[in-house]
């Protein structure tokens, strides 16, 4: 399989590296030393730099001021953002924008997407359901009354909800189909209750009480939520990969300088084997990530594939490796750093907190293995 990136995708990576260069992962207080959220808002100056570099419009159509690139390019940029723990709703905004580009009518795209590309409109997605352990669409009930809709329900752990302009909420309609509602944060019937993520970021429980929306604010296209859900999961795998690569690099630099018995600890066989195992984890995370991103791109474009399994199978495999891999990488890094890894003046503990948040967002590998098993049972291979 050829995972060679196109010139446009490679250019996106270089642009992202230029924007993120010089950004320190410790620009806000440590989550280990902060009882609440580390900051009230995301990094707005960095957000403006992304907009100026045309990275927020990366996946938008040229008629909306974008480059028209695909989920693979988005995942490449997300990987770079995680290397410096960029505090941005980049995944949520761009994933929602790409779903709008793919499934929304032209009029809605024309109204919203140019503003997204300019950094003027921030989007987030309520993808965790009421408890975090159930399908997100079951947490909100949608009732249609003529051309209007009424929403009732609760979504938990919505990232950047207090800073977003629109919250994309999956909801179950009366005919058992899932719709996507574009709910303004400041809207009658919408209430936000503060929550704090494991990484110290400000999240929210979003409560919807008879929230009325026009038909123009609701996406009813078949498959829109399933595609957006898979894109969010794949993007989270990209964040896990970028974080893991940064942590392994940091660990390699440390063990190359740290000496015991007159030799760098990197020369000790036990240390080298552990580092090599984590490198293998990252390679597996990368291969499964790009496979899932490619399947998302193919389904977006309507391109047929020869895989016997549906797209959900590739996404499940990527989630298995990302969830397990990012945990193993940061745990090994902490072990090889010794007590220095827990020093709050050193950034490794921040990466550990972010890795745990990503692992929680992805869910346990065992659950994805069960999903994969069900898919294998339902689809004959060979």
């Amino acid at each position: 399989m050829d995972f060679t990136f196109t010139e446009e995708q490679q250019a996106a990576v270089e642009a992202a590296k230029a924007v993120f260069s010089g950004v320190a992962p410790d620009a806000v207080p440590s989550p280990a030393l902060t009882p609440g959220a580390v900051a009230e808002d995301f990094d707005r100056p960095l957000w403006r730099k992304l907009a100026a570099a045309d990275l927020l419009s990366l996946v938008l159509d040229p008629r909306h001021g974008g480059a028209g690139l695909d989920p693979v390019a988005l995942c490449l940029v997300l990987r770079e953002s995680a290397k410096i723990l960029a505090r941005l709703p980049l995944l949520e905004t761009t994933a929602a924008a790409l779903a709008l580009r793919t499934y929304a009518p032209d009029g809605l795209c024309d109204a919203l997407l140019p503003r997204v590309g300019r950094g003027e409109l921030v989007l987030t997605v309520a993808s965790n359901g009421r408890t975090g352990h159930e399908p997100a669409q079951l947490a909100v009930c949608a009732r249609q009354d003529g051309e209007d809709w009424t929403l009732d329900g609760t979504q938990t752990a919505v990232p950047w909800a207090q800073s977003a302009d629109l919250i994309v909420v999956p909801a179950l309609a009366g005919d058992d189909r899932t719709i996507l509602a574009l709910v303004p944060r400041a809207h009658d019937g919408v209430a936000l209750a503060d929550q704090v993520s494991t990484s110290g970021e400000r999240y929210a429980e979003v409560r919807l009480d008879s929230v009325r929306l026009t038909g123009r604010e609701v996406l009813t296209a078949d498959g829109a939520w399933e595609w957006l859900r898979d894109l969010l999961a794949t993007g989270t795998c990209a964040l896990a990969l970028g974080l893991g690569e940064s942590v392994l690099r940091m660990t390699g630099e440390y063990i190359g300088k740290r000496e015991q018995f007159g030799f760098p600890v990197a020369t000790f066989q036990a240390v080298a084997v552990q580092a090599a195992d984590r490198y293998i984890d990252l390679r597996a995370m990368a291969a499964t990530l790009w496979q899932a991103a490619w399947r998302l791109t193919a389904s977006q474009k309507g391109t047929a594939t020869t895989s016997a399994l549906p797209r959900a199978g590739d996404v499940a495999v990527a989630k298995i490796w990302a969830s397990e891999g990012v945990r193993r990488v940061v745990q090994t890094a902490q072990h090889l750093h010794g007590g220095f890894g827990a020093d709050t003046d050193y950034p490794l503990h921040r990466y550990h907190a972010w890795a745990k948040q990503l692992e929680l967002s992805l869910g346990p590998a065992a659950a994805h293995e069960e999903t994969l098993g069900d898919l294998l049972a339902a689809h004959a291979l060979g």
Side-chain angles (χ1 to χ4, degrees), residues 122-146:
V122 177
L123 310 177
T124 190
V125 184
S127 60
N128 289 312
R130 186 176 61 85
T131 64
H133 300 287
E134 61 186 1
Q137 67 270 23
L138 301 182
V140 176
C141 173
R143 301 185 307 278
Q144 189 170 14
D145 180 15

Side-chain angles (χ1 to χ4, degrees), residues 55-145:
L55 288 172
L56 296 183
S57 59
L58 190 72
V59 298
L60 305 183
D61 280 336
R63 68 190 180 95
H64 296 134
L69 297 188
D70 54 24
V72 175
L74 172 57
C75 287
L76 284 166
V77 174
L78 289 169
R79 181 179 68 171
E80 296 303 317
S81 75
K83 291 179 180 179
I84 51 96
L85 305 184
R87 302 180 50 261
L88 301 167
L90 181 59
L91 169 59
E92 295 79 13
T93 294
T94 49
L98 189 49
L100 288 171
R101 169 192 164 188
T102 307
Y103 292 97
D106 289 342
L108 186 59
C109 290
D110 293 342
L112 298 181
L113 295 185
R115 296 178 60 203
V116 171
R118 294 193 297 267
E120 300 168 359
L121 189 69
V122 177
L123 310 177
T124 190
V125 184
S127 60
N128 289 312
R130 186 176 61 85
T131 64
H133 300 287
E134 61 186 1
Q137 67 270 23
L138 301 182
V140 176
C141 173
R143 301 185 307 278
Q144 189 170 14
D145 180 15

Side-chain angles (χ1 to χ4, degrees), residues 169-188:
V169 179
L172 196 64
D175 52 1
D176 288 335
R177 60 180 171 142
T178 300
I179 59 99
L180 287 177
L182 307 181
V183 180
R185 171 178 49 82
H187 193 284
D188 290 342

Side-chain angles (χ1 to χ4, degrees), residues 12-32:
V13 173
E14 293 305 315
K17 287 181 177 179
V19 171
F20 295 132
S21 63
V23 178
D26 53 0
V28 292
S30 164

Side-chain angles (χ1 to χ4, degrees), residues 18 33 41 129 132 182 292 363:
L33 304 176
D41 198 5
L182 307 181

Side-chain angles (χ1 to χ4, degrees), residues 262-283:
F263 297 94
V265 296
T267 62
F268 299 165
Q269 186 178 31
V271 172
V273 166
Q274 290 182 72
D277 284 343
R278 300 296 77 83
Y279 175 77
I280 293 171
D281 279 336
L282 291 174
R283 295 290 291 175

